[in-house]
Amino acid sequence: MRKIQSMISPSGADFRRNAAHNRELVRIFREKQEAARHIRPQRDLDRLARQGKMRPRERLEKLLDPGTPFLELSSLAANMSYGGESPSASCITGIGVISGREVMIHADDPTVKGGAWYPLTVKKIVRCLDIAIENRLPVVHLCDSAGGFLQLQADLFPDKYMGGRVFRNQSILSKLGCKQLALVFGHCTAGGAYIPGLSDYNVIVRGTGAVFLGGPPLVRAATGEEVTVEELGGADMHTTVSGTCDYAASSEDEAILIGREIVAQWERPKKWDIQRETPEDPAYDPEELYGIVPDDIKTQFDMREVIARIVDGSRFHEYQPDYGTTLVCGYAHIWGFKVGILANNGVLFNDSSLKGAHFMELCNQNNTPLVFLQNITGYMVGRAYERAGITKDGAKMIMAQSCSHVPKFTVMCNGSFGAGNYGMCGRAFDGRLLFAWPNHQIGVMGGDQAANTLAEVKVNQMRRNGGEVDQAVVDALWAQTRAAYQEQLSAYYSTSNLWDDGILDPVDTRNALGVAISAALNAPPVDPGYGVFRF
């Protein structure tokens, strides 16, 4: 493969302006992430100290193999919900290495309302178990939760993708042979009791760990029985009487040690054998990404410059370089793994849609994972393009992408608007992992376009009703629509609602993709096949 020849001048005025803008966005992101990870009311930290408990990230640090990467997912989940009461959606999830095995980790955060599950906590846990299922990853649960946040029970209990889905996914993991270990550091109450109950192995800490469907207050209210926590669901009762738990530990450190010993007994899966080479750093400095992405989301840039700072050796074999030029397609390696890359260089026309569909077919034929780098305003609209069949050509691209059997990964590098989000493997299309950069915006259309569209509709409505156009009303509607869109388009709104698997500093993209691709290869390949293409 040939090295991409960069056309960027780091000394240029545009580059320096863009770099300053994007570094500031990353600074704000890091500040928000730091607060979500570590800032807690002192009373909650004091409570943990009185109980002899570690903070969840301390547990995680001792559990993971030293010096190995941990790909944290959705670190800013719920950042715009519940008045900020649920940082990181009250739990930690991510892919890490324990005793040499890649595992998915779900850790409750008892520093937030005693680890109670908010609706977005449930969504985050369900998502992490979905990822484990898709990638055949074993799971380690670090349990310490007061159960569901009862004031919001209608939003976390009854529907298909609410609390019950956690336990459904645990059952499916067991069916697939994906091991699960629960380390019970605190209470596992009500439905939360099923996490250790459905795990293949579990360890419970004496004095602080407990597992029960109803705690002492509920038992007293329901039956009148007076019972202590230890009698009802403590470590000694469950390891000597009920058999619900396997190992009792005298401390959190011992529980973690036992857990690492258990994981060390698990067989190592045979990974899907894709083409690999020795990893090599990009020839260009990844920090130059800050100066490449414009400070205005409407400004176009060459996605090849982004590719050059992510892939091994900055080498890229471009497919059909002179056809459908608004979509860049080609082969590269990321941390040694061969991938097929689709990157937007403008609106999707008929030719770029067909090019993308055919390229994805080739990658599926060759068992090459797909990486989508999104910066898309959508598919082209207008009479000439509809007559040329843009709808059916876009549908071909969506069909090829939806039915791909190879692992798919998406990075939202800038804008993601309209149906272009679909063709480029947006959230609805079961990519293994999807990440966003801090500058990312996503929506049916941009804020200005939405405001202009609704303003025009309002003007036409006034005219149809026979009245004069009240410009003040139109202007107010425009301003209100644009303001609402600007909030909802932001990367923080998207990640708060778990429409992605987390915001990344752009320079971390290569490493995140490397961990993601490696984890995906634990799953066996699926049978290839496509639906009907409309010709």
Side-chain angles (χ1 to χ4, degrees):
M1 294 184 189
R2 284 177 286 182
K3 175 184 168 184
I4 293 174
Q5 295 303 309
S6 176
M7 305 301 290
I8 292 295
S9 171
S11 61
D14 288 347
F15 183 96
R16 293 199 305 271
R17 187 186 67 251
N18 293 338
H21 172 79
N22 287 306
R23 286 182 188 279
E24 177 62 11
L25 292 183
V26 169
R27 185 196 66 77
I28 293 169
F29 160 60
R30 293 292 190 192
E31 191 175 83
K32 289 178 180 288
Q33 190 178 58
E34 180 73 9
R37 286 174 169 173
H38 301 293
I39 305 301
R40 298 291 185 272
Q42 189 59 45
R43 65 179 182 277
D44 292 320
L45 302 180
D46 292 342
R47 172 173 47 81
L48 255 64
R50 286 195 304 273
Q51 295 170 341
K53 291 182 177 181
M54 288 185 264
R55 294 176 67 172
R57 292 184 184 275
E58 293 175 308
R59 294 167 177 166
L60 197 56
E61 186 177 350
K62 293 192 174 189
L63 182 65
L64 295 168
D65 290 357
T68 59
F70 176 63
L71 179 58
E72 183 172 357
L73 304 175
S74 301
S75 63
L76 292 179
N79 78 90
M80 295 179 70
S81 299
Y82 317 123
E85 288 185 354
S86 179
S88 290
S90 309
C91 67
I92 304 166
T93 63
I95 299 170
V97 180
I98 300 174
S99 299
R101 278 80 172 165
E102 287 173 320
V103 300
M104 174 61 74
I105 293 172
H106 146 231
D108 295 319
D109 187 347
T111 67
V112 182
K113 303 286 186 183
W117 290 1
Y118 285 72
L120 284 172
T121 313
V122 171
K123 186 175 183 180
K124 185 172 175 179
I125 297 171
V126 169
R127 173 59 184 156
C128 94
L129 296 180
D130 281 341
I131 294 169
I133 290 170
E134 292 163 354
N135 298 289
R136 301 297 194 271
L137 291 172
V139 181
V140 176
H141 305 271
L142 280 62
C143 304
D144 194 346
S145 171
F149 190 67
L150 296 181
Q151 293 94 318
L152 299 175
Q153 67 86 26
D155 296 321
L156 59 83
F157 173 70
D159 208 351
K160 180 175 181 179
Y161 290 102
M162 294 183 180
R165 194 74 175 185
V166 174
F167 315 124
R168 175 265 184 194
N169 278 1
Q170 283 193 267
S171 302
I172 296 300
L173 281 163
S174 184
K175 174 183 175 181
L176 295 172
C178 299
K179 285 84 170 170
Q180 292 179 82
L181 163 66
L183 301 178
V184 182
F185 296 110
H187 288 191
C188 294
T189 308
Y194 290 113
I195 286 189
L198 288 166
S199 294
D200 305 290
Y201 309 83
N202 61 51
V203 183
I204 183 169
V205 179
R206 284 193 182 92
T208 57
V211 177
F212 31 55
L213 295 181
L218 180 60
V219 169
R220 184 166 55 251
T223 69
E225 182 182 8
E226 293 287 345
V227 63
T228 67
V229 167
E230 289 300 312
E231 292 170 333
L232 187 62
D236 289 326
M237 191 284 289
H238 275 314
T239 55
T240 64
V241 179
S242 75
T244 299
C245 296
D246 303 320
Y247 305 87
S250 59
S251 67
E252 294 196 359
D253 281 317
E254 185 183 12
I256 290 169
L257 178 62
I258 295 171
R260 287 183 52 81
E261 291 175 348
I262 290 169
V263 175
Q265 312 310 312
W266 295 350
E267 61 184 345
R268 298 178 187 269
K270 179 175 171 48
K271 291 199 173 193
W272 184 12
D273 188 20
I274 66 169
Q275 294 184 59
R276 297 186 64 176
E277 291 186 354
T278 303
E280 183 182 349
D281 290 338
Y284 300 104
D285 187 351
E287 294 232 350
E288 292 176 353
L289 288 169
Y290 298 137
I292 291 168
V293 179
D295 58 359
D296 183 350
I297 199 163
K298 297 175 185 175
T299 302
Q300 188 59 47
F301 61 97
D302 189 351
M303 195 66 86
R304 294 176 188 85
E305 300 287 357
V306 171
I307 295 169
R309 287 151 182 88
I310 292 176
V311 303
D312 291 10
S314 302
R315 290 188 299 275
F316 183 60
H317 174 80
E318 188 167 348
Y319 172 72
Q320 288 192 327
D322 301 319
Y323 178 74
T325 55
T326 59
L327 184 67
V328 176
C329 301
Y331 302 102
H333 292 82
I334 296 176
W335 278 103
F337 300 111
K338 185 177 180 182
V339 296
I341 296 175
L342 295 92
N344 299 118
N345 252 14
V347 66
L348 287 163
F349 291 95
N350 299 75
D351 54 1
S352 45
S353 302
L354 293 171
K355 171 182 170 178
H358 189 68
F359 179 70
M360 284 185 272
E361 289 183 302
L362 296 178
C363 288
N364 278 274
Q365 181 192 59
N366 205 42
N367 289 326
T368 303
L370 292 166
V371 174
F372 297 84
L373 303 178
Q374 281 208 24
N375 177 30
I376 182 63
T377 56
Y379 290 92
M380 191 60 192
V381 298
R383 181 172 62 181
Y385 301 102
E386 291 295 352
R387 289 173 68 87
I390 186 62
T391 298
K392 70 176 183 178
D393 290 342
K396 293 185 184 77
M397 184 176 175
I398 291 171
M399 179 72 76
Q401 187 265 108
S402 300
C403 297
S404 291
H405 74 273
V406 296
K408 301 178 292 187
F409 309 89
T410 304
V411 182
M412 302 295 200
C413 298
N414 205 36
S416 179
F417 296 105
N421 170 276
Y422 302 158
M424 291 294 293
C425 196
R427 189 57 148 178
F429 291 86
D430 293 330
R432 298 296 180 90
L433 285 163
L434 184 152
F435 301 108
W437 288 355
N439 56 298
H440 166 57
Q441 292 185 13
I442 183 170
V444 173
M445 60 184 72
D448 288 347
Q449 293 93 325
N452 291 337
T453 299
L454 289 180
E456 183 178 345
V457 170
K458 189 67 174 176
V459 167
N460 292 336
Q461 183 185 62
M462 289 176 176
R463 287 172 176 161
R464 280 197 311 272
N465 292 338
E468 292 187 7
V469 173
D470 187 336
Q471 194 59 45
V473 172
V474 174
D475 291 346
L477 175 63
W478 189 95
Q480 182 183 24
T481 302
R482 188 180 187 280
Y485 258 74
Q486 289 307 110
E487 177 185 352
Q488 295 174 11
L489 290 173
S490 79
Y492 295 108
Y493 190 90
S494 173
T495 205
S496 181
N497 288 287
L498 286 113
W499 297 347
D500 54 50
D501 294 310
I503 297 177
L504 295 175
D505 181 336
V507 301
D508 293 334
T509 303
R510 168 180 164 79
N511 289 341
L513 287 172
V515 173
I517 296 166
S518 176
L521 300 182
N522 286 289
V526 238
D527 291 334
Y530 286 99
V532 175
F533 288 86
R534 183 174 294 277
F535 290 102

